[in-house]
Amino acid sequence: MGNGSQAGPVTRRERLKQEREERILEAAAAVFADKGFHQATIRDIAELADVADGTIYNYFDNKFDLLVGIMARIAELERLPAELVQALQGDVRDFFVKAFDERLGRIEQGQEMLQAVLPEVFVNPHLREQFYQQYVLRISTLLEQYLQAQVELGHVRPVNVPLTVRMVQSIFVGSLVLRILGDEPLQSGWQDVPEVLATLVYDGLNPGGGG
Amino acid sequence: MGNGSQAGPVTRRERLKQEREERILEAAAAVFADKGFHQATIRDIAELADVADGTIYNYFDNKFDLLVGIMARIAELERLPAELVQALQGDVRDFFVKAFDERLGRIEQGQEMLQAVLPEVFVNPHLREQFYQQYVLRISTLLEQYLQAQVELGHVRPVNVPLTVRMVQSIFVGSLVLRILGDEPLQSGWQDVPEVLATLVYDGLNPGGGG
Amino acid sequence: MGNGSQAGPVTRRERLKQEREERILEAAAAVFADKGFHQATIRDIAELADVADGTIYNYFDNKFDLLVGIMARIAELERLPAELVQALQGDVRDFFVKAFDERLGRIEQGQEMLQAVLPEVFVNPHLREQFYQQYVLRISTLLEQYLQAQVELGHVRPVNVPLTVRMVQSIFVGSLVLRILGDEPLQSGWQDVPEVLATLVYDGLNPGGGG
Amino acid sequence: MGNGSQAGPVTRRERLKQEREERILEAAAAVFADKGFHQATIRDIAELADVADGTIYNYFDNKFDLLVGIMARIAELERLPAELVQALQGDVRDFFVKAFDERLGRIEQGQEMLQAVLPEVFVNPHLREQFYQQYVLRISTLLEQYLQAQVELGHVRPVNVPLTVRMVQSIFVGSLVLRILGDEPLQSGWQDVPEVLATLVYDGLNPGGGG
DNA sequence: TATGAATGAGGGTTCATTCAT
DNA sequence: TATGAATGAACCCTCATTCAT
C-alpha cells in the first residue's frame, strides 16, 4: 500500500545509498534556499549532509543536477492531487475552497524546495520549461476542463476559460512569491486565505452579486 | 547612481557621464535578464555597453551595485501611478479594469529589468526587502485604503481587506511569472486580461451574481 | 609482481591469481596505450579487466606500479635474443639482416606495451633509467663487442664503435617512433625494412662501394 | 632583415605583451620538460614566468594550448633549413655531413621544447598529426626528392628511396631519444656524430666499399 | 579475497576587481 | 577619466586510494 511504482531498496546497502541520496538532496535544497544556487558551494552541501565533497558526485553528475533532482522531488510530491480530484465533484464554491486549501498546503510544505529552485527557473530555459510543464501546465489543463464543464452546466458565469484559469493560477504563484518576500499579513493570515480567495473569485467583490 | 533629485546635467561632460551610466545600466539589465546575474560577466556588460571593463567601476562600486541601480530605475518608473490614482475616483469595476490595465502595461514595459532583478530578489535579503517595499507594500497600502473605503461605502462586499488586497496583488505578480515562464495563452491574450480579471474579481464566477 | 623465477603456480587458487594479475596488466597496457597513462583511470582499467577498482590494489601498490609491471613484462619478452645471439656467428651483412629482422619483429609484437610505457619514460627518471638499462644499454654492450671484434677481424671498416652502435640503435628506436607517428611508407613497407637497412648500413649509399 | 613576415610590436604595451607571452611559453617548456605535462601545474609555470596564474589565461586558452604554442615555436625554428637547402647542391657525402650537422645542431638547440612536447605527442592524436606533418613529413619529401635525383645521377646506389629516407630520419629521431634517455657515449661524442653518421650511411660498414 | 562506495586532496579555470598607463 | 591587462581568491570536479562489508 502506497509503495507506488518503484521497488524500494531491499539490501541494507541499497537502503543506505537511498538514504544518503535523500540526505544530500535535502541538504542541497536547504543550502540553495538559504544562499541561492550560485552562492552555495558543494562544500556547504557536503557539510550539511555530513558527507565528503566527492560523495555528492557519486549520486549527482554535477551541481546543476542537484537542482534537477530537487525539481524531480517536487514533481513527486505533486503526483497525486487526490483531494483536488475529489473536489472536482462537488459544489463549485466548495471546490474553490478545497482546491485553494490543497494547493496552499502543498506550497507551505514544499516551500524550501521551491525556494531553492525558483530563482534558477527564471534563469535556466531547461529548468523553466520543466517547471512550467510539471508545475503549471498540468494544472491548467485540469482546471480548464473543469471550468469549461461548469460553464456549460450553467454553474459558472460564461468567461474566457483559458485566461480565467491563468488568473486563478496566478493567484497561487503570486501568493507563493509574496510569502517568500516575507509579506506579513499573508504570513499570519495564511489559514484564512482559501475562504477569502473563494469569496473573491466565486462571489466577486460586487456587493450586488449573490452570496 | 540615481542622482537623487531631478536636477539634470548641465555641462556637456556631465551629460556624457549620465548617458554612459544609463548605457551601462541598460546593458546590465539586458545581460542579467538574458543570462541571469551570476552567469553574466562584467565583460559581457562592458561589451554590450561598448565601454571597457574598468569603466563600469567608475560608475558602480561592484557588480551587485548594478542590480541595485536597476532596482532604482524600476522604482523611478513606478514613481507616478498617475492614471491609477485618477482611477481611484470612479466606479469600482471601472477602477479594476483601469488598474489592471495600468499595471499590466507597466509590467510589459519593464519586463526586462524585472527579469534581471527578480531571481536575485529571491536570494538576496537586502534586495528582497527593497523590492517588497517599493514594489509591493506601497501598492498594498494604497489598495487597502481604497478597498476599505469602498467597503464602508457599500460599493464592495464586506471582505477581509488586507488578505483580499494580497490576492489581487498576487494576480499581478503571478501573471508576470507565468509570462516569464512562457505561458502561451497568457502571452497571446494579454490585452484581454484586464477585462477578464475585472470580471473575475468584481463579478465573480457565480452566475447568480449581478453583472 | 613478476614473481621472480619461473616457478609456475601450483594450486588452482594461485593459478587464478596469476591469471587475474595478467588480465589486469594487459588491460592496463591497452588503456595506457590508448589514452596515455594520465588520461587512463583505474576505473577504465578495472572495467576492461572485468574486476572491481579495489581489486587492482590487491595486485599492484598503485597506478604507477602498473607501469612498472608492464616494463617488467617487456623485459621478459626481451629476455632471450636467442636468434640474435645465434646470428652473431655468421657473415656480417647477414647478421644485420637477421638482427634487424629480429628487432623489428619484436617491436611489432610488443608495440602496445611500448606505447603504453614510452611517454612516461620521457617523464619519469626512474622509468627512464630502467628502460635505458634494459632496452638500450644491454644491446649496446652486445653490439659493441660484436662490432669491435669484426673491426679487428677486418670484416668491418674501422669506425668509432660506440657511436656507430648508437646510430644503429637509433634506427630501431627511431623506426618505432615513426611507426607510432603513423608514417605510411614505413607501415606498408615494414617487411622490407631489414633488407633496406642492411643495404644502408653495410653497403652504404656510395655506388662505388662493394655490394 | 630577418624580421620575416610578422610585423613586430610597435607600441611599448605591445612589446611588453609579446615579451610576457614568450616568458610564459619558455616557462611552460621548462616545466613540461622537467616534470612532464601532467605533473606540471599552472602554478608552477606561473611562478617560473613570474606572473599570476590567471595571467596565463590571457595568453593561452588552457593548459593544453601551451603545448600547442610550444609546437608552433618549434615549427618557427624549423622554418628555414637554409644551410640544409644549400647543402643540397654539393657532393653527396658532404651533403650528409652538413645535413646531419644542421639537424643535430637544431635538435640540441630545441631539446627542451622537444622534450616538453614529445611525451604528449605519443598520447594526443592531434599533436601527433601536427608533429608528424611539420617535423617529419616535410623533411621526408625533401630528402626523397634529393635521394631520387642522386640515384638517377648515379651518385647513389639504387635503393628503395622512401624506406631509405625513413631510416635516415629514424636516425635523427632515435638519436634525440637516446640523448633524452641520457646515453653517455652519445652525449660526450655528439660533435663527432655527423662524421660517424656519414661514414655509416654513405660509405657503409663493408670494408670492401670505396671510401 | 573481491567489491565498490566514500574519501578529500589537488588543480584547472573563471572572473570580479584593481591599477598602471 | 577610460582603458584593458594583471591579479589571485574561489570553486567545481576528478580520481587514486582506502576500507567496511
Side-chain angles (χ1 to χ4, degrees), chain C residues 40-87:
Chain C
T41 68
I42 290 290
R43 171 94 29 115
D44 289 333
I45 297 165
E47 270 168 17
L48 189 57
D50 203 33
V51 297
D53 297 18
T55 304
I56 292 180
Y57 289 86
N58 289 331
Y59 293 88
F60 299 90
D61 283 349
N62 50 46
K63 193 184 172 189
F64 182 75
D65 203 31
L66 287 165
L67 223 41
V68 175
I70 294 170
M71 280 277 299
R73 285 281 296 254
I74 294 177
E76 273 176 51
L77 293 183
E78 294 289 319
R79 190 93 44 88
L80 326 164
E83 307 172 37
L84 194 147
V85 167
Q86 228 181 15

Short mmCIF file of all heavy atoms in Angstrom, two decimals, chain C residues 40-87:
data_model
loop_
_atom_site.label_atom_id
_atom_site.label_comp_id
_atom_site.label_asym_id
_atom_site.label_seq_id
_atom_site.Cartn_x
_atom_site.Cartn_y
_atom_site.Cartn_z
N ALA C 40 44.30 7.76 -18.49
CA ALA C 40 43.70 6.49 -18.10
C ALA C 40 43.32 6.53 -16.63
O ALA C 40 44.07 7.05 -15.79
CB ALA C 40 44.68 5.36 -18.35
N THR C 41 42.17 6.01 -16.30
CA THR C 41 41.77 5.93 -14.90
C THR C 41 41.78 4.47 -14.45
O THR C 41 41.65 3.56 -15.26
CB THR C 41 40.37 6.50 -14.68
OG1 THR C 41 39.42 5.66 -15.32
CG2 THR C 41 40.25 7.91 -15.24
N ILE C 42 41.92 4.31 -13.16
CA ILE C 42 41.86 2.97 -12.60
C ILE C 42 40.54 2.30 -12.97
O ILE C 42 40.47 1.11 -13.26
CB ILE C 42 42.01 3.04 -11.06
CG1 ILE C 42 43.44 3.45 -10.71
CG2 ILE C 42 41.66 1.71 -10.41
CD1 ILE C 42 44.47 2.40 -11.00
N ARG C 43 39.52 3.09 -13.00
CA ARG C 43 38.21 2.57 -13.38
C ARG C 43 38.23 2.01 -14.80
O ARG C 43 37.69 0.93 -15.06
CB ARG C 43 37.17 3.70 -13.25
CG ARG C 43 35.80 3.42 -13.79
CD ARG C 43 34.84 2.90 -12.72
NE ARG C 43 35.12 3.36 -11.39
CZ ARG C 43 34.32 4.14 -10.67
NH1 ARG C 43 33.18 4.55 -11.20
NH2 ARG C 43 34.63 4.48 -9.46
N ASP C 44 38.84 2.75 -15.73
CA ASP C 44 38.97 2.26 -17.10
C ASP C 44 39.58 0.86 -17.11
O ASP C 44 39.07 -0.06 -17.75
CB ASP C 44 39.90 3.18 -17.92
CG ASP C 44 39.28 4.52 -18.21
OD1 ASP C 44 38.04 4.60 -18.27
OD2 ASP C 44 40.03 5.50 -18.36
N ILE C 45 40.69 0.76 -16.42
CA ILE C 45 41.42 -0.50 -16.41
C ILE C 45 40.60 -1.60 -15.75
O ILE C 45 40.51 -2.72 -16.26
CB ILE C 45 42.77 -0.32 -15.68
CG1 ILE C 45 43.63 0.70 -16.44
CG2 ILE C 45 43.49 -1.64 -15.54
CD1 ILE C 45 44.80 1.21 -15.64
N ALA C 46 39.99 -1.26 -14.64
CA ALA C 46 39.19 -2.24 -13.92
C ALA C 46 38.07 -2.76 -14.81
O ALA C 46 37.79 -3.97 -14.85
CB ALA C 46 38.62 -1.62 -12.65
N GLU C 47 37.44 -1.86 -15.54
CA GLU C 47 36.34 -2.29 -16.39
C GLU C 47 36.82 -3.22 -17.48
O GLU C 47 36.21 -4.26 -17.75
CB GLU C 47 35.64 -1.07 -16.99
CG GLU C 47 34.51 -0.58 -16.11
CD GLU C 47 34.00 0.79 -16.55
OE1 GLU C 47 34.28 1.20 -17.69
OE2 GLU C 47 33.32 1.45 -15.74
N LEU C 48 37.92 -2.83 -18.11
CA LEU C 48 38.44 -3.67 -19.19
C LEU C 48 38.89 -5.03 -18.65
O LEU C 48 38.73 -6.07 -19.31
CB LEU C 48 39.62 -2.96 -19.88
CG LEU C 48 40.11 -3.62 -21.17
CD1 LEU C 48 38.97 -3.75 -22.18
CD2 LEU C 48 41.26 -2.84 -21.77
N ALA C 49 39.46 -5.03 -17.45
CA ALA C 49 39.93 -6.30 -16.87
C ALA C 49 38.79 -7.05 -16.20
O ALA C 49 38.97 -8.17 -15.72
CB ALA C 49 41.03 -6.03 -15.87
N ASP C 50 37.64 -6.40 -16.14
CA ASP C 50 36.46 -7.02 -15.54
C ASP C 50 36.68 -7.38 -14.07
O ASP C 50 36.33 -8.47 -13.62
CB ASP C 50 36.08 -8.27 -16.34
CG ASP C 50 34.62 -8.62 -16.15
OD1 ASP C 50 33.82 -7.68 -15.99
OD2 ASP C 50 34.28 -9.82 -16.13
N VAL C 51 37.26 -6.45 -13.36
CA VAL C 51 37.39 -6.59 -11.90
C VAL C 51 36.92 -5.27 -11.28
O VAL C 51 36.67 -4.30 -11.98
CB VAL C 51 38.84 -6.86 -11.47
CG1 VAL C 51 39.34 -8.18 -12.04
CG2 VAL C 51 39.75 -5.71 -11.89
N ALA C 52 36.83 -5.25 -9.96
CA ALA C 52 36.47 -4.01 -9.29
C ALA C 52 37.70 -3.15 -9.09
O ALA C 52 38.84 -3.65 -9.08
CB ALA C 52 35.85 -4.32 -7.93
N ASP C 53 37.48 -1.86 -8.94
CA ASP C 53 38.60 -0.93 -8.77
C ASP C 53 39.54 -1.42 -7.68
O ASP C 53 40.76 -1.51 -7.88
CB ASP C 53 38.08 0.45 -8.36
CG ASP C 53 37.20 1.10 -9.40
OD1 ASP C 53 36.70 0.38 -10.29
OD2 ASP C 53 37.03 2.32 -9.33
N GLY C 54 38.96 -1.74 -6.55
CA GLY C 54 39.78 -2.08 -5.40
C GLY C 54 40.63 -3.32 -5.62
O GLY C 54 41.72 -3.45 -5.05
N THR C 55 40.15 -4.22 -6.44
CA THR C 55 40.88 -5.46 -6.68
C THR C 55 42.28 -5.20 -7.23
O THR C 55 43.24 -5.89 -6.88
CB THR C 55 40.09 -6.35 -7.66
OG1 THR C 55 38.79 -6.56 -7.12
CG2 THR C 55 40.79 -7.66 -7.88
N ILE C 56 42.36 -4.19 -8.07
CA ILE C 56 43.66 -3.88 -8.68
C ILE C 56 44.71 -3.63 -7.59
O ILE C 56 45.87 -4.01 -7.73
CB ILE C 56 43.52 -2.66 -9.60
CG1 ILE C 56 42.67 -3.05 -10.82
CG2 ILE C 56 44.87 -2.14 -10.03
CD1 ILE C 56 42.44 -1.93 -11.81
N TYR C 57 44.27 -3.05 -6.49
CA TYR C 57 45.22 -2.73 -5.41
C TYR C 57 45.61 -3.96 -4.59
O TYR C 57 46.44 -3.86 -3.71
CB TYR C 57 44.64 -1.62 -4.53
CG TYR C 57 44.64 -0.31 -5.25
CD1 TYR C 57 43.58 0.06 -6.08
CD2 TYR C 57 45.73 0.56 -5.14
CE1 TYR C 57 43.60 1.25 -6.76
CE2 TYR C 57 45.75 1.75 -5.83
CZ TYR C 57 44.68 2.10 -6.64
OH TYR C 57 44.71 3.27 -7.32
N ASN C 58 44.96 -5.07 -4.87
CA ASN C 58 45.44 -6.31 -4.26
C ASN C 58 46.62 -6.89 -5.04
O ASN C 58 47.32 -7.77 -4.55
CB ASN C 58 44.31 -7.34 -4.21
CG ASN C 58 43.27 -6.96 -3.18
OD1 ASN C 58 43.57 -6.31 -2.19
ND2 ASN C 58 42.03 -7.35 -3.44
N TYR C 59 46.82 -6.37 -6.23
CA TYR C 59 47.90 -6.90 -7.07
C TYR C 59 49.01 -5.88 -7.30
O TYR C 59 50.16 -6.26 -7.51
CB TYR C 59 47.33 -7.35 -8.41
CG TYR C 59 46.40 -8.53 -8.28
CD1 TYR C 59 45.03 -8.35 -8.03
CD2 TYR C 59 46.89 -9.82 -8.37
CE1 TYR C 59 44.19 -9.44 -7.89
CE2 TYR C 59 46.06 -10.91 -8.24
CZ TYR C 59 44.70 -10.72 -8.00
OH TYR C 59 43.88 -11.80 -7.86
N PHE C 60 48.65 -4.62 -7.26
CA PHE C 60 49.64 -3.57 -7.52
C PHE C 60 49.48 -2.48 -6.47
O PHE C 60 48.37 -2.14 -6.09
CB PHE C 60 49.45 -3.00 -8.92
CG PHE C 60 49.63 -4.03 -10.00
CD1 PHE C 60 48.55 -4.77 -10.46
CD2 PHE C 60 50.89 -4.28 -10.53
CE1 PHE C 60 48.71 -5.73 -11.44
CE2 PHE C 60 51.06 -5.24 -11.52
CZ PHE C 60 49.96 -5.97 -11.97
N ASP C 61 50.61 -1.96 -6.06
CA ASP C 61 50.58 -0.97 -4.98
C ASP C 61 49.85 0.30 -5.37
O ASP C 61 49.16 0.91 -4.56
CB ASP C 61 52.00 -0.61 -4.55
CG ASP C 61 52.60 -1.71 -3.69
OD1 ASP C 61 51.83 -2.59 -3.28
OD2 ASP C 61 53.82 -1.67 -3.43
N ASN C 62 50.08 0.72 -6.58
CA ASN C 62 49.44 1.96 -7.02
C ASN C 62 49.47 2.03 -8.54
O ASN C 62 49.98 1.12 -9.19
CB ASN C 62 50.15 3.17 -6.42
CG ASN C 62 51.64 3.08 -6.64
OD1 ASN C 62 52.10 2.78 -7.73
ND2 ASN C 62 52.41 3.31 -5.58
N LYS C 63 48.94 3.08 -9.06
CA LYS C 63 48.79 3.19 -10.51
C LYS C 63 50.14 3.09 -11.21
O LYS C 63 50.27 2.40 -12.23
CB LYS C 63 48.10 4.51 -10.83
CG LYS C 63 47.60 4.63 -12.26
CD LYS C 63 47.02 6.03 -12.51
CE LYS C 63 46.68 6.23 -13.97
NZ LYS C 63 46.33 7.65 -14.24
N PHE C 64 51.10 3.78 -10.67
CA PHE C 64 52.41 3.80 -11.30
C PHE C 64 53.02 2.40 -11.36
O PHE C 64 53.72 2.05 -12.30
CB PHE C 64 53.34 4.75 -10.55
CG PHE C 64 54.69 4.88 -11.15
CD1 PHE C 64 54.88 5.62 -12.32
CD2 PHE C 64 55.79 4.25 -10.58
CE1 PHE C 64 56.13 5.74 -12.88
CE2 PHE C 64 57.05 4.36 -11.16
CZ PHE C 64 57.22 5.11 -12.31
N ASP C 65 52.71 1.63 -10.33
CA ASP C 65 53.23 0.27 -10.26
C ASP C 65 52.76 -0.57 -11.45
O ASP C 65 53.43 -1.53 -11.84
CB ASP C 65 52.77 -0.37 -8.94
CG ASP C 65 53.69 -1.50 -8.53
OD1 ASP C 65 54.89 -1.42 -8.85
OD2 ASP C 65 53.21 -2.45 -7.90
N LEU C 66 51.63 -0.22 -11.99
CA LEU C 66 51.17 -0.93 -13.19
C LEU C 66 52.14 -0.71 -14.34
O LEU C 66 52.44 -1.62 -15.12
CB LEU C 66 49.77 -0.43 -13.58
CG LEU C 66 48.61 -0.87 -12.69
CD1 LEU C 66 47.38 -0.03 -12.96
CD2 LEU C 66 48.30 -2.34 -12.93
N LEU C 67 52.62 0.51 -14.42
CA LEU C 67 53.58 0.85 -15.47
C LEU C 67 54.86 0.04 -15.28
O LEU C 67 55.42 -0.51 -16.23
CB LEU C 67 53.89 2.35 -15.38
CG LEU C 67 53.95 3.17 -16.65
CD1 LEU C 67 52.86 2.80 -17.62
CD2 LEU C 67 53.90 4.64 -16.33
N VAL C 68 55.30 0.00 -14.05
CA VAL C 68 56.49 -0.78 -13.75
C VAL C 68 56.27 -2.24 -14.12
O VAL C 68 57.15 -2.91 -14.69
CB VAL C 68 56.85 -0.65 -12.25
CG1 VAL C 68 58.02 -1.56 -11.92
CG2 VAL C 68 57.16 0.79 -11.91
N GLY C 69 55.08 -2.72 -13.83
CA GLY C 69 54.74 -4.09 -14.18
C GLY C 69 54.82 -4.33 -15.67
O GLY C 69 55.31 -5.36 -16.14
N ILE C 70 54.34 -3.37 -16.42
CA ILE C 70 54.38 -3.50 -17.88
C ILE C 70 55.83 -3.51 -18.37
O ILE C 70 56.21 -4.32 -19.22
CB ILE C 70 53.59 -2.37 -18.55
CG1 ILE C 70 52.10 -2.51 -18.20
CG2 ILE C 70 53.78 -2.37 -20.05
CD1 ILE C 70 51.26 -1.32 -18.61
N MET C 71 56.62 -2.64 -17.79
CA MET C 71 58.06 -2.62 -18.13
C MET C 71 58.68 -3.98 -17.88
O MET C 71 59.48 -4.48 -18.68
CB MET C 71 58.78 -1.57 -17.27
CG MET C 71 58.64 -0.16 -17.74
SD MET C 71 59.83 0.26 -19.04
CE MET C 71 61.37 -0.01 -18.17
N ALA C 72 58.32 -4.58 -16.77
CA ALA C 72 58.90 -5.88 -16.43
C ALA C 72 58.49 -6.92 -17.47
O ALA C 72 59.30 -7.76 -17.87
CB ALA C 72 58.44 -6.30 -15.04
N ARG C 73 57.25 -6.83 -17.89
CA ARG C 73 56.79 -7.76 -18.93
C ARG C 73 57.58 -7.59 -20.21
O ARG C 73 57.93 -8.55 -20.89
CB ARG C 73 55.30 -7.54 -19.21
CG ARG C 73 54.38 -8.09 -18.15
CD ARG C 73 54.24 -9.60 -18.34
NE ARG C 73 53.59 -9.91 -19.59
CZ ARG C 73 52.35 -10.34 -19.70
NH1 ARG C 73 51.64 -10.57 -18.63
NH2 ARG C 73 51.82 -10.58 -20.88
N ILE C 74 57.84 -6.36 -20.57
CA ILE C 74 58.65 -6.11 -21.76
C ILE C 74 60.02 -6.75 -21.59
O ILE C 74 60.55 -7.40 -22.49
CB ILE C 74 58.80 -4.59 -22.00
CG1 ILE C 74 57.44 -3.98 -22.34
CG2 ILE C 74 59.79 -4.33 -23.13
CD1 ILE C 74 57.49 -2.48 -22.53
N ALA C 75 60.58 -6.57 -20.40
CA ALA C 75 61.90 -7.14 -20.13
C ALA C 75 61.88 -8.65 -20.31
O ALA C 75 62.81 -9.23 -20.87
CB ALA C 75 62.33 -6.78 -18.71
N GLU C 76 60.80 -9.28 -19.87
CA GLU C 76 60.69 -10.73 -20.05
C GLU C 76 60.73 -11.10 -21.51
O GLU C 76 61.44 -12.01 -21.92
CB GLU C 76 59.38 -11.24 -19.44
CG GLU C 76 59.48 -11.58 -17.96
CD GLU C 76 58.12 -11.99 -17.42
OE1 GLU C 76 57.47 -12.86 -18.02
OE2 GLU C 76 57.70 -11.39 -16.41
N LEU C 77 59.96 -10.39 -22.29
CA LEU C 77 59.97 -10.67 -23.73
C LEU C 77 61.37 -10.49 -24.30
O LEU C 77 61.77 -11.17 -25.24
CB LEU C 77 58.99 -9.73 -24.44
CG LEU C 77 57.51 -9.91 -24.14
CD1 LEU C 77 56.68 -8.95 -24.97
CD2 LEU C 77 57.09 -11.36 -24.41
N GLU C 78 62.11 -9.54 -23.73
CA GLU C 78 63.44 -9.24 -24.23
C GLU C 78 64.47 -10.27 -23.78
O GLU C 78 65.60 -10.27 -24.25
CB GLU C 78 63.88 -7.86 -23.74
CG GLU C 78 63.07 -6.71 -24.29
CD GLU C 78 63.39 -6.51 -25.77
OE1 GLU C 78 64.57 -6.59 -26.13
OE2 GLU C 78 62.43 -6.28 -26.55
N ARG C 79 64.05 -11.08 -22.82
CA ARG C 79 65.00 -11.97 -22.16
C ARG C 79 65.91 -12.73 -23.13
O ARG C 79 67.11 -12.79 -22.95
CB ARG C 79 64.22 -12.96 -21.27
CG ARG C 79 65.07 -13.81 -20.32
CD ARG C 79 65.22 -13.18 -18.95
NE ARG C 79 63.99 -12.62 -18.39
CZ ARG C 79 63.11 -13.32 -17.65
NH1 ARG C 79 63.33 -14.59 -17.41
NH2 ARG C 79 62.06 -12.73 -17.13
N LEU C 80 65.32 -13.29 -24.15
CA LEU C 80 66.11 -14.19 -24.98
C LEU C 80 66.28 -13.72 -26.42
O LEU C 80 65.47 -14.06 -27.27
CB LEU C 80 65.45 -15.57 -25.03
CG LEU C 80 64.70 -16.06 -23.80
CD1 LEU C 80 63.82 -17.24 -24.19
CD2 LEU C 80 65.69 -16.44 -22.71
N PRO C 81 67.29 -12.96 -26.69
CA PRO C 81 67.54 -12.63 -28.09
C PRO C 81 68.27 -13.82 -28.72
O PRO C 81 69.37 -13.68 -29.26
CB PRO C 81 68.44 -11.40 -28.01
CG PRO C 81 68.94 -11.35 -26.59
CD PRO C 81 68.34 -12.46 -25.81
N ALA C 82 67.63 -15.00 -28.61
CA ALA C 82 68.31 -16.25 -28.99
C ALA C 82 68.77 -16.21 -30.45
O ALA C 82 69.94 -16.42 -30.75
CB ALA C 82 67.37 -17.43 -28.78
N GLU C 83 67.83 -15.89 -31.29
CA GLU C 83 68.18 -15.85 -32.71
C GLU C 83 69.30 -14.85 -32.95
O GLU C 83 70.22 -15.08 -33.74
CB GLU C 83 66.98 -15.46 -33.54
CG GLU C 83 65.75 -16.34 -33.26
CD GLU C 83 64.52 -15.78 -33.96
OE1 GLU C 83 64.66 -15.28 -35.09
OE2 GLU C 83 63.42 -15.85 -33.38
N LEU C 84 69.17 -13.75 -32.24
CA LEU C 84 70.16 -12.71 -32.43
C LEU C 84 71.54 -13.21 -32.02
O LEU C 84 72.53 -13.02 -32.73
CB LEU C 84 69.79 -11.49 -31.60
CG LEU C 84 70.52 -10.19 -31.91
CD1 LEU C 84 69.60 -9.01 -31.69
CD2 LEU C 84 71.78 -10.04 -31.07
N VAL C 85 71.58 -13.88 -30.89
CA VAL C 85 72.86 -14.40 -30.43
C VAL C 85 73.44 -15.37 -31.44
O VAL C 85 74.63 -15.35 -31.77
CB VAL C 85 72.69 -15.11 -29.06
CG1 VAL C 85 73.94 -15.94 -28.74
CG2 VAL C 85 72.44 -14.08 -27.97
N GLN C 86 72.56 -16.18 -31.97
CA GLN C 86 73.00 -17.12 -32.99
C GLN C 86 73.60 -16.39 -34.20
O GLN C 86 74.64 -16.77 -34.74
CB GLN C 86 71.82 -17.95 -33.46
CG GLN C 86 72.12 -19.44 -33.51
CD GLN C 86 70.93 -20.23 -33.99
OE1 GLN C 86 69.99 -19.66 -34.55
NE2 GLN C 86 70.99 -21.53 -33.79
N ALA C 87 72.89 -15.32 -34.57
CA ALA C 87 73.33 -14.57 -35.74
C ALA C 87 74.72 -13.97 -35.54
O ALA C 87 75.41 -13.62 -36.49
CB ALA C 87 72.33 -13.46 -36.05
#
